[in-house]
Amino acid sequence: MPVADLSHPVESGMPVYPGDPAVTIDSHATMAADGYRVSALSCGSHTGTHVDAPSHTEPDGATLDELPVSRFVRDAVRVDLRDRGAREPIRPADLPTVDAGAVVLWTGWDRHWGEPEYLDHPYLTPDAARHCVEQGYDVATDALNVDPTPADGASGSDDPHATDGASNDPQIPADHPDAGVPAHHELLGNGRLIAENLTNLDSVPARFELTALPLALAEGDGGPVRAVARWD
């Protein structure tokens, strides 16, 4: 059975969501000094390729440790959205209505990983997120965010995911339906999961099994994953 790695490597200085903790990996013990190697890792819970638990945006949402491990293995359908340009919306008509546990948004935006353009990815409209809920889909994407990401690196709040009157995209007015993180609220608020920052989606077929197992963080609002695809 073929297997493809859909994960970005975790390394110092890697891209993070604006305002999230920077990633650093420092040497704690070395072969020369200690006879073994240990690294000190500092990062946020939504570092790199990761899964969002409902508790990420929902006050009463489930945490990672409240979800069975089987929840992170899904029959997935990949949707080719590489025709989308910078900050273009993904609408319900762009998404399938099929028997699947997850829809994987193949925007091709991982080609901008590490570049300023990575913030300018396509995003789900609230109606598109609602379509995913109605179909019973979890959502995965090869972009930074299923909602618009702030282009200026600030959301207008100390909380990078705040939605109280602040748009995540300076090009979207605060009273616009796409302002803030409505796709997150629609999905996570209805018990669906979100995986972000996938890569290498050109190496998988349209249907595959997606496994995205997060670190077993107690009361985790999200966690880095080693996302892999398998297919017959």
Side-chain angles (χ1 to χ4, degrees):
M1 179 178 286
V3 178
D5 190 351
L6 307 182
S7 313
H8 288 285
V10 176
E11 57 188 350
S12 295
M14 67 188 292
V16 298
Y17 185 92
D20 275 9
V23 179
T24 59
I25 304 176
D26 297 315
S27 179
H28 175 76
T30 66
M31 194 66 68
D34 306 288
Y36 59 92
R37 296 176 61 188
V38 172
S39 298
L41 169 65
S42 176
C43 66
S45 55
H46 298 260
T47 289
T49 308
H50 68 274
V51 165
D52 293 351
S55 62
H56 177 43
T57 59
E58 309 309 303
D60 298 320
T63 57
L64 288 179
D65 52 322
E66 292 176 325
L67 300 170
V69 70
S70 59
R71 191 67 181 79
F72 305 104
V73 182
R74 280 289 176 264
D75 173 35
V77 56
R78 186 192 64 181
V79 182
D80 191 345
L81 297 163
R82 290 175 295 165
D83 60 344
R84 291 299 185 277
R87 297 189 177 270
E88 284 193 7
I90 299 167
R91 305 189 186 280
D94 303 318
L95 301 176
T97 301
V98 297
D99 182 16
V103 64
V104 179
L105 311 178
W106 182 22
T107 70
W109 223 254
D110 57 332
R111 69 185 182 277
H112 296 301
W113 180 256
E115 302 172 356
E117 291 80 6
Y118 195 59
L119 299 181
D120 297 327
H121 54 82
Y123 65 94
L124 282 179
T125 65
D127 286 343
R130 192 167 305 115
H131 171 84
C132 293
V133 169
E134 291 169 353
Q135 296 301 314
Y137 300 151
D138 293 331
V139 176
T141 180
D142 59 0
L144 180 62
N145 193 353
V146 294
D147 284 295
T149 296
D152 60 356
S155 64
S157 166
D158 291 337
D159 177 1
H161 304 295
T163 60
D164 295 338
S167 170
N168 268 14
D169 185 347
Q171 302 176 37
I172 298 178
D175 59 354
H176 190 279
D178 292 358
V181 289
H184 273 80
H185 285 303
E186 185 67 37
L187 294 164
L188 299 178
N190 286 285
R192 311 319 303 168
L193 301 182
I194 300 170
E196 294 165 326
N197 292 324
L198 271 63
T199 189
N200 200 31
L201 290 176
D202 58 338
S203 69
V204 303
R207 296 297 298 253
F208 61 92
E209 180 186 84
L210 173 63
T211 299
L213 299 176
L215 296 174
L217 298 177
E219 300 184 359
D221 51 77
V225 303
R226 188 66 176 263
V228 298
R230 300 193 306 169
W231 62 95
D232 293 329

